[in-house]
Amino acid sequence: MVFLKKKTVVEISKSCLRIVEGTRDGGMIEVLKLAESNFNEPIIKEDTKVDDILLQMELKDIVSKNGLYKKDVSVILSGISNILIREFEMPVLEEKQMYKAIRNEARQYFPINIDSYVFDYKQLQQSKEKNAVRQKVLVVGVYKLLIDGIKNAFKNASMNLTKIDIETNSISKLFYTNFSQSKADGQTSFIIANVTRNGVSVSVVSKGHFAASKLFIIPEIELMFREENNSSFEIEFSVIEDLISDSIVKFYDFLRTKDDPINDISVIYLTGEICQHIDITGILKRRVPVEVVLADDFKIIKKNNNINKNTLFAYSTAISGLL
């Protein structure tokens, strides 16, 4: 008998928690439970700190009501604008030396107090130049107060926090794992546009790796969720559609014109809770010369009563944490 390892993933955005409990069996994901909690006031303040008391209380309440698994819990940070992401080229070093070297590099590129951030990295590729081995690494920095507050909240909620990730990295793994299986060339670059109440989070996967991202804040989307009179939504839809498509096109153009351009983008995938209400595939197809796909089906996610098209749009980020 095979015992599947259970896991809980908590997606934390400024005013919302989305929680998925599930298992992974090889390359397949099964969603067992879903839960959501919305806040009238932001739980993440100024993108630098979290109301850890409120988060702790909310976690305890959700776990109690839903009987969620607490022994292996991951967090995904979503819609946080001041997360630092940059690709560096540097010598291949031992791990302890790497973190010191990354902080030194970061001081040159980011006009901030580096000591206020926690950094992590992943290697993208290695190359040999003359007698030296060089590497490209993707570096991510998150505000230390935010990380410490989250750790404290989960500890006090008696939940064993094992990993903290960022939305763009996590969701890139879901899309690459799923859609590269159906492509003859799994190395083709593609864009993911995750459209949520936080705005439009766009990322690119190139050569099998999450390579770059950008968060476009669109206040009109958040206002749409707060609007009490649903009849006013249609008036705003055309404006919101243009704002969303403009954001994605700007990112697409940036990738093709930057110093190290990505010119092999074959498709733009659309996901996120706003895709339940707005479909911009037609608009984008008129503006960019690539395939545009509404990501409403994933072959690696087992079909059950918990999963439908709208669930996939709303919970795609949290589900990605099960990988």
Side-chain angles (χ1 to χ4, degrees), residues 45-202:
K45 313 289 186 181
E46 302 171 352
D47 287 348
T48 61
K49 56 188 176 182
V50 64
D51 186 335
D52 57 323
I53 302 298
L54 177 58
L55 177 57
Q56 170 195 327
M57 293 172 59
E58 197 63 32
L59 288 170
K60 286 181 176 179
D61 185 56
I62 293 176
V63 168
S64 175
K65 287 180 179 177
N66 296 276
L68 295 170
Y69 187 68
K70 300 192 296 181
K71 293 183 179 179
D72 185 359
V73 183
S74 293
V75 161
I76 300 175
L77 298 176
S78 180
I80 311 300
S81 63
N82 71 345
I83 291 177
L84 309 176
I85 302 175
R86 190 178 179 95
E87 185 179 297
F88 291 147
E89 184 172 337
M90 55 204 313
V92 175
L93 304 168
E94 293 182 2
E95 188 167 345
K96 288 184 179 180
Q97 294 176 306
M98 274 296 296
Y99 283 102
K100 183 177 180 180
I102 284 170
R103 296 185 76 82
N104 289 335
E105 287 286 324
R107 291 182 196 280
Q108 301 178 45
Y109 290 99
F110 300 122
I112 51 153
N113 180 5
I114 293 300
D115 295 330
S116 298
Y117 280 77
V118 176
F119 287 92
D120 202 357
Y121 74 95
K122 69 176 180 179
Q123 186 185 77
L124 300 179
Q125 65 183 58
Q126 281 191 11
S127 61
K128 192 169 184 179
E129 298 179 6
K130 297 181 180 179
N131 296 325
V133 180
R134 305 280 294 177
Q135 63 177 335
K136 283 187 177 181
V137 296
L138 189 70
V139 175
V140 176
V142 181
Y143 214 78
K144 189 174 185 297
L145 272 179
L146 181 58
I147 297 294
D148 290 344
I150 289 170
K151 286 181 176 179
N152 188 55
F154 276 79
K155 180 180 178 181
N156 291 332
S158 300
M159 301 179 74
N160 183 31
L161 181 58
T162 57
K163 181 180 180 180
I164 298 177
D165 204 346
I166 61 171
E167 170 251 324
T168 45
N169 182 58
S170 186
I171 205 167
S172 293
K173 287 186 288 186
L174 173 66
F175 275 76
Y176 180 75
T177 303
N178 185 83
F179 291 107
S180 65
Q181 293 179 359
S182 60
K183 299 285 184 181
D185 180 7
Q187 298 300 305
T188 303
S189 301
F190 59 85
I191 289 173
I192 305 160
N194 188 20
V195 190
T196 72
R197 68 189 70 187
N198 302 310
V200 183
S201 174
V202 279

Side-chain angles (χ1 to χ4, degrees), residues 241-242 245-247 249 252 282-289:
E241 286 171 347
D242 288 340
S245 59
D246 285 348
S247 302
V249 171
Y252 173 81
I283 297 173
L284 278 178
K285 286 177 180 178
R286 293 192 293 270
R287 299 188 63 182
V288 291

Side-chain angles (χ1 to χ4, degrees), residues 191 252 256 264-268 284-285 287-293:
I191 289 173
Y252 173 81
R256 296 171 67 246
D264 65 336
I265 297 166
S266 61
V267 61
I268 297 173
L284 278 178
K285 286 177 180 178
R287 299 188 63 182
V288 291
V290 299
E291 186 180 4
V292 181
V293 176

